[in-house]
Amino acid sequence: MKLKLISALLLMFVCRLNAQGNFLSSGDEELDSIRLAVKKNPTSAETFQLRAFKMKLWMVILQQQGARLDPFVAIDNEMAEIVWWNTIFWNEGKPQDFTPDEMDKLCDITDRGYEVLEYTQKDLRDNPRKIIKASPDAQEVPTQENPINWTHYKGNNGLNGYTGAEGPQLGENVWKYPVGLPWESEPVVEGNRVYLSSPGMRTAMLCVDLESGETIWDTTQQAEIMGDQLYNTPSNMATPVVLEDFVLYRETGSRGNKGPTKEIVFVDKKSGEIDHEVLAGHVDYRVGLPTVTANEEFLVYTHGVQDIEAIPPIAQAYNRVVCKDTHSGKLLWDFNIGYTFADPLLVEDRVFIGNQTGYMYAMKCGEKYGPVDKRRIAWEFRAAGSINEKATNYKDYLFFGDNSGRFYCLNNQNGEKIWEFKVKDTEQRSFRHFSRAFVVDGKVFVGAADKMIYCFDVKSGELLFSYLTDDWIRAKPVAKDDRLYFATMKGSFYGLDISRKKPKLIFRKTPGDHPVIADLVITSNKVLYNDSDLYTYTFNLNGDLLWKKSLVGSFINDSGNRIFTDEIAGGARYMSKPTAANGLVYFGSPIRFVYAVDANNGKEKWKFEAGASLCGAPVYDNDKIYFGVHSGEDEFYCLDAQTGEVIWKQDVGWVWGSPNVSDGIVYISGIDGNVQALDANNGQIIWRHRLDRSICSEPAVEGDQVFFGSWDHYLYGMNKKTGNINWKFHLSGGTDSGVQIVKDGKIYLPIGGPRFRCLNAKTGEVLWEFTEPKTNFNVTPAYHNGKVYCSNWYGIGLGGICTVSNLYCLDAETGEKVWQGYGGGLSGPVIGANGDVYIASVSSPYFYCYDGNGNPDGSAKIKWMYKMGNKVEESTPALYNGKAYIMSSDGYIHAIK
């Protein structure tokens, strides 16, 4: 109560200062109170960590609004000279210990950093950044009958960013398509409290009032001060588990089992403070839902070894069910059931869980059996297809669906089938055909990927009704008093009157346009759900919106845009690179879907659901789409480009980068360290070569060679037919987000440090090197007409989000700088038919169009700028038919003309 009073008084004081024009709010109440405290009391060893962390978050808040952060680079660089990039590499994961002299310097740097950002905040108001518009004489590119396709990441096999395709000339939006996060975490209601997970670096959980949505408490964490903050900070994407005294969640993130992201966290229900943690093993953040369930006796979760930074790397989907004592954390048993993508269901002392091969298991929690004793399994049932969704228990019944389009009712005591139902048209492009089921008043309701909602009689399985909706139904429906509520992948929220045999639509609303994949929750008079844009919606039973709350700290600015005051922890999410061919744009998503949409209007033609996130580009070749996925299933897919139907799939392991298809061969870089070549027609493996570490980057192809970079610090030139190594070059750093390109026998290569190099593609010999001290080249470059365009970071920032990102135009023969501008950082440049250079930015919300030649005085010439709702992480534009297509972390694919 005392803390709330102090907070309220501080807020009143800030509001008064704002009104007087003496203090400009950042939009973050906690940050504003720290800013006032810094003015009064210099930073000390006791206050350093939180102040330095919030200072970095303030930088990102300002970036999202378009502020220039150049003056902050010096502050960032001073801090980087003292703090390590990552304690995992330097100190086995233990926090860095600072000497008294180092701490004094860090405190001084922090205070000066606040001074710089105070100036930046004021300058943002007084001198808002001018968005350069296209010349009045600029004309939209006329629609072409046979436009040049953009088939690969960066457009072609050499990845060099130029195909001759026309780029946009006006810098105006044509359409936006919503791309969601894999947010399956649902609200959990207990009495008048709602528990909500938050993926923020600062806030991990919220407890809010059911009636108003006002925050009662929040669970906070302090990110360790290092260069690699974003990837080193745990994220919470789990559904909260509510016990008598605690609320539990499971962490997800990066850096493997040597990093900090491997715990189940116990939060005190009264205060929201973290009480203790139980080791559960690392979960990669791209997995989506980190599974966990518990009661007062048993703590149950699924686990697979996910350690892509290990040597050798290990990358597994969940394949084991682990049971521990809830309060002591003592391991009770650990049992292998094969790959599973379903959440376990705990009912007293039984766990029910399905797996990818179609088995539903009932497992005994309390009995003491050996680790391989089959008596652990009370019963098993074999379905006709994969069971990739959580089961529902009701009295003596267990309900679940499989991917063959069958919905089952079993006796939960012995596993005997009571009834099953087969849908008429199974959606073959779905990874989970059915939602989770909801049971009430003798009826069971379930949604499906065939766009239908079904209602059955619990005992007999009689189909009482089915209802066609506007999209796939991934979230569990709910029902009460002859009314049924559900949400779809289009973001539509439905209410049906089900009092008669034929259901009647009461309402269909679209409070948000992002997919809903998290289960709905119903109370006595409210329906709640979370969407994949990280909002919680609460409605009354008539469908009226009562309140809406962002799951990540944010505010709405004067333009109506959401500005995040917290950053999503764990790593970059919106990474897929669009491609375009024959009138369609193709892209992946963190929500595990690959989409094909109309290039002119953004209307969806098809979507395909994989068992993991797609980080790279869906590559187009010969009317087929090729892609691999990261952090889940091991399949690499070949789809029909027009329909999204599977032509073939091959087990290759996790894939981060985009494939490359050349002369009937698909080249793949694997997280497990394998370089692979597959037959493009049937997926058969032609050759495979194992490297020591993960390969996260894309292969480039020219002539008879394929080029790969790896975390093992080497760049390889290989014979593309045999996989034999022609040469390898030590990089003094590993290729990561930025990869090599090749053009006319030369390789242009970012190192992941202050150097950018040109190599002879036949020998690996260095031809020239361009160096910028205290920067980081980690962006795939582009080449056209004797010029190479590359980008780097200035200032580490949060690690994955740098302070400033710069674009360079270099002479391709000598490496001498021609001009320098803004943009990039992680997102690479591409080049239009007329030589214009297009690039987004990880350090601002702007998409830039530059004249490729620059100004006569050697400066950059911006032709126009386009403002998105947030930065661009690793996505890179596709140019097609006079438009650019780019994925932003504002949650949209933007089409720009």
Side-chain angles (χ1 to χ4, degrees):
M1 197 64 165
K2 194 173 185 181
L3 284 172
K4 284 188 180 180
L5 179 60
I6 293 170
S7 181
L9 289 171
L10 274 170
L11 183 60
M12 288 171 59
F13 182 53
V14 168
C15 290
R16 190 177 300 155
L17 287 174
N18 276 331
Q20 296 170 355
N22 297 324
F23 185 88
L24 297 174
S25 175
S26 65
D28 181 336
E29 184 180 329
E30 181 185 46
L31 173 58
D32 287 348
S33 66
I34 291 173
R35 290 165 61 195
L36 294 172
V38 168
K39 290 176 182 291
K40 294 181 179 179
N41 301 301
T43 299
S44 64
E46 291 72 31
T47 60
F48 163 69
Q49 184 176 354
L50 179 58
R51 286 186 177 186
F53 172 43
K54 293 294 287 191
M55 177 181 70
K56 294 291 188 85
L57 286 179
W58 190 9
M59 178 202 79
V60 178
I61 296 170
L62 293 166
Q63 280 180 339
Q64 193 182 344
Q65 298 171 81
R68 289 192 187 277
L69 271 298
D70 300 70
F72 191 71
V73 170
I75 296 292
D76 220 352
N77 285 339
E78 280 189 71
M79 187 168 284
E81 289 177 1
I82 299 173
V83 302
W84 294 330
W85 168 252
N86 192 304
T87 57
I88 298 169
F89 307 138
W90 280 274
N91 203 33
E92 298 182 343
K94 299 170 188 173
Q96 182 179 357
D97 290 323
F98 301 108
T99 66
D101 182 55
E102 287 174 331
M103 180 52 68
D104 287 344
K105 289 179 181 177
L106 288 170
C107 291
D108 177 63
I109 292 167
T110 302
D111 289 340
R112 287 187 285 111
Y114 272 87
E115 289 178 7
V116 170
L117 295 182
E118 289 289 356
Y119 168 81
T120 306
Q121 181 83 58
K122 186 173 183 299
D123 189 60
L124 182 66
R125 180 197 65 180
D126 297 341
N127 302 293
R129 191 165 182 181
K130 181 184 176 185
I131 299 178
I132 297 170
K133 298 292 185 182
S135 164
D137 299 327
Q139 298 290 319
E140 183 178 355
V141 176
T143 300
Q144 300 168 2
E145 217 171 288
N146 296 298
I148 296 171
N149 291 334
W150 192 272
T151 59
H152 285 66
Y153 169 52
K154 300 301 289 287
N156 54 35
N157 294 118
L159 314 184
N160 58 57
Y162 179 82
T163 65
E166 297 278 359
Q169 297 300 304
L170 302 181
E172 298 174 359
N173 179 260
V174 183
W175 51 260
K176 293 194 303 182
Y177 188 94
V179 180
L181 291 167
W183 194 257
E184 297 183 66
S185 174
E186 64 190 81
V188 178
V189 179
E190 184 183 55
N192 68 337
R193 291 187 167 198
V194 184
Y195 299 99
L196 302 168
S197 288
S198 171
M201 293 183 70
R202 178 58 172 156
T203 300
M205 186 178 288
L206 298 165
C207 174
V208 306
D209 181 81
L210 175 62
E211 297 300 321
S212 65
E214 293 296 319
T215 301
I216 297 169
W217 52 251
D218 57 2
T219 301
T220 58
Q221 55 185 1
Q222 287 194 48
E224 194 175 337
I225 304 304
M226 60 172 67
D228 190 28
Q229 276 184 299
L230 181 72
Y231 283 83
N232 198 70
T233 304
S235 178
N236 176 17
M237 300 178 70
T239 292
V241 178
V242 180
L243 301 179
E244 185 177 349
D245 298 318
F246 301 104
V247 185
L248 281 58
Y249 68 86
R250 187 178 180 186
E251 297 172 334
T252 180
S254 299
R255 302 308 178 226
N257 285 296
K258 289 184 179 179
T261 306
K262 50 182 181 282
E263 313 288 347
I264 293 171
V265 181
F266 285 65
V267 176
D268 185 284
K269 275 173 73 173
K270 292 180 181 177
S271 66
E273 294 180 0
I274 294 174
D275 186 87
H276 65 280
E277 298 177 335
V278 170
L279 180 66
H282 177 67
V283 178
D284 190 282
Y285 71 93
R286 282 152 290 222
V287 167
L289 184 71
T291 63
V292 61
T293 184
N295 55 31
E296 296 297 332
E297 192 172 359
F298 303 111
L299 174 66
V300 178
Y301 56 93
T302 53
H303 181 62
V305 181
Q306 300 175 5
D307 213 335
I308 68 174
E309 313 231 8
I311 304 176
I314 306 172
Q316 291 181 317
Y318 298 136
N319 64 345
R320 290 150 46 201
V321 180
V322 180
C323 181
K324 293 187 173 184
D325 180 279
T326 297
H327 294 288
S328 70
K330 178 184 176 182
L331 178 66
L332 301 178
W333 51 268
D334 180 337
F335 202 88
N336 182 3
I337 64 165
Y339 277 1
T340 176
F341 298 91
D343 215 5
L345 171 68
L346 178 62
V347 182
E348 296 179 351
D349 63 347
R350 289 284 172 98
V351 177
F352 301 95
I353 187 167
N355 73 4
Q356 195 177 24
T357 52
Y359 283 95
M360 174 59 72
Y361 294 102
M363 309 180 79
K364 306 169 190 173
C365 285
E367 285 82 350
K368 294 182 179 179
Y369 299 128
V372 294
D373 194 327
K374 191 179 178 182
R375 289 178 297 172
R376 176 69 58 202
I377 301 173
W379 56 257
E380 63 184 43
F381 171 85
R382 182 71 185 269
S386 299
I387 304 168
N388 293 333
E389 182 57 280
K390 186 176 183 178
T392 295
N393 188 74
Y394 176 75
K395 296 183 178 179
D396 292 332
Y397 305 102
L398 189 75
F399 300 96
F400 60 92
D402 74 8
N403 279 4
S404 75
R406 289 172 171 83
F407 185 72
Y408 300 89
C409 173
L410 306 186
N411 181 306
N412 64 15
Q413 298 301 308
N414 56 30
E416 291 182 3
K417 184 172 70 176
I418 299 172
W419 56 262
E420 74 172 63
F421 172 84
K422 174 73 169 65
V423 302
K424 202 177 287 184
D425 297 307
T426 304
E427 177 51 81
Q428 300 292 343
R429 294 168 295 191
S430 67
F431 190 76
R432 291 177 178 168
H433 192 276
F434 290 98
S435 74
R436 195 180 176 206
F438 181 82
V439 188
V440 68
D441 298 333
K443 298 173 183 175
V444 56
F445 304 91
V446 67
D450 59 5
K451 302 184 180 181
M452 304 293 287
I453 190 92
Y454 295 95
C455 175
F456 305 96
D457 179 85
V458 165
K459 293 182 179 180
S460 69
E462 177 190 357
L463 178 63
L464 301 179
F465 69 79
S466 60
Y467 185 89
L468 181 64
T469 72
D470 65 2
D471 208 341
W472 296 13
I473 303 172
R474 179 60 72 245
K476 180 183 74 178
V478 292
K480 183 178 176 60
D481 298 335
D482 288 328
R483 287 196 174 184
L484 174 65
Y485 305 91
F486 57 91
T488 71
M489 289 283 294
K490 264 196 172 62
S492 301
F493 176 50
Y494 284 77
L496 300 184
D497 182 335
I498 55 172
S499 60
R500 299 176 180 83
K501 190 170 183 180
K502 185 176 180 181
K504 180 182 177 183
L505 179 68
I506 302 171
F507 63 81
R508 184 179 73 179
K509 302 191 174 184
T510 52
D513 57 3
H514 281 70
V516 179
I517 62 172
D519 292 346
L520 276 64
V521 175
I522 194 164
T523 69
S524 60
N525 60 359
K526 293 177 179 64
V527 177
L528 301 86
Y529 66 79
N530 298 331
D531 75 358
S532 59
D533 197 27
L534 302 182
Y535 275 111
T536 299
Y537 295 92
T538 299
F539 303 86
N540 64 25
L541 299 187
N542 293 320
D544 300 318
L545 181 64
L546 301 176
W547 53 265
K548 170 184 172 183
K549 191 175 188 72
S550 176
L551 293 169
V552 180
S554 63
F555 66 91
I556 305 299
N557 68 7
D558 293 339
S559 301
N561 295 320
R562 176 164 58 161
I563 305 297
F564 288 115
T565 57
D566 198 356
E567 191 62 32
I568 298 174
R573 311 286 169 142
Y574 297 96
M575 293 189 282
S576 183
K577 298 91 174 173
T579 55
N582 299 337
L584 295 177
V585 179
Y586 303 95
F587 52 91
S589 67
I591 203 173
R592 300 188 293 268
F593 283 85
V594 177
Y595 296 90
V597 304
D598 187 287
N600 290 320
N601 56 33
K603 297 237 175 170
E604 181 186 305
K605 182 166 184 183
W606 56 258
K607 59 176 171 276
F608 179 89
E609 184 182 19
S613 295
L614 175 61
C615 302
V619 166
Y620 176 93
D621 184 77
N622 196 26
D623 215 28
K624 299 182 183 75
I625 293 295
Y626 301 88
F627 63 91
V629 292
H630 191 327
S631 300
E633 65 171 335
D634 294 331
E635 305 300 322
F636 183 92
Y637 287 96
C638 171
L639 308 183
D640 184 292
Q642 296 303 312
T643 66
E645 294 173 355
V646 176
I647 296 173
W648 55 258
K649 57 184 179 179
Q650 177 64 269
D651 186 334
V652 302
W654 294 4
V655 175
W656 191 339
S658 314
N660 200 321
V661 186
S662 172
D663 296 333
I665 300 177
V666 186
Y667 300 97
I668 303 166
S669 53
I671 289 295
D672 62 1
N674 277 307
V675 177
Q676 303 186 67
L678 276 56
D679 187 304
N681 290 318
N682 55 34
Q684 292 182 2
I685 297 172
I686 297 172
W687 57 258
R688 175 181 286 171
H689 188 97
R690 182 68 184 257
L691 304 179
D692 289 337
R693 297 198 62 185
S694 290
I695 312 166
C696 302
S697 50
E698 285 82 358
V701 178
E702 186 176 77
D704 60 359
Q705 290 197 103
V706 58
F707 307 95
F708 287 88
S710 168
W711 279 0
D712 71 358
H713 300 192
Y714 283 94
L715 177 72
Y716 296 85
M718 296 180 174
N719 183 297
K720 73 176 188 181
K721 294 286 179 66
T722 66
N724 291 334
I725 296 175
N726 295 329
W727 55 263
K728 65 178 185 178
F729 173 77
H730 196 280
L731 302 168
S732 300
T735 58
D736 190 68
S737 303
V739 307
Q740 73 292 322
I741 67 169
V742 59
K743 179 65 176 174
D744 297 335
K746 293 180 180 178
I747 291 172
Y748 303 95
L749 177 69
I751 304 298
R755 289 169 295 176
F756 183 87
R757 285 172 171 159
C758 174
L759 276 62
N760 182 308
K762 291 293 183 186
T763 65
E765 175 192 0
V766 176
L767 301 178
W768 55 255
E769 180 174 291
F770 175 75
T771 304
E772 283 281 2
K774 297 183 179 180
T775 69
N776 186 16
F777 285 93
N778 193 18
V779 182
T780 304
Y783 171 93
H784 177 58
N785 197 25
K787 297 184 180 69
V788 61
Y789 303 91
C790 58
S791 173
N792 63 10
W793 303 359
Y794 269 83
I796 288 173
L798 287 172
I801 307 170
C802 61
T803 308
V804 172
S805 50
N806 286 327
L807 172 68
Y808 298 86
C809 173
L810 306 181
D811 185 296
E813 286 298 317
T814 65
E816 292 181 2
K817 184 166 68 174
V818 179
W819 55 260
Q820 176 180 338
Y822 287 102
L826 287 175
S827 176
V830 297
I831 303 155
N834 64 352
D836 285 349
V837 180
Y838 302 95
I839 191 166
S841 174
V842 76
S843 59
S844 83
Y846 297 112
F847 183 90
Y848 298 90
C849 173
Y850 286 94
D851 184 309
N853 295 315
N855 287 312
D857 64 358
S859 61
K861 181 180 180 180
I862 299 175
K863 297 180 76 170
W864 51 260
M865 297 159 63
Y866 169 84
K867 190 174 184 182
M868 297 170 285
N870 208 332
K871 61 186 177 293
V872 168
E873 291 167 314
E874 296 188 17
S875 185
T876 294
L879 302 184
Y880 179 74
N881 209 358
K883 299 179 183 69
Y885 305 92
I886 185 76
M887 181 182 290
S888 168
S889 58
D890 64 5
Y892 291 93
I893 286 277
H894 293 251
I896 307 165
K897 65 180 180 180

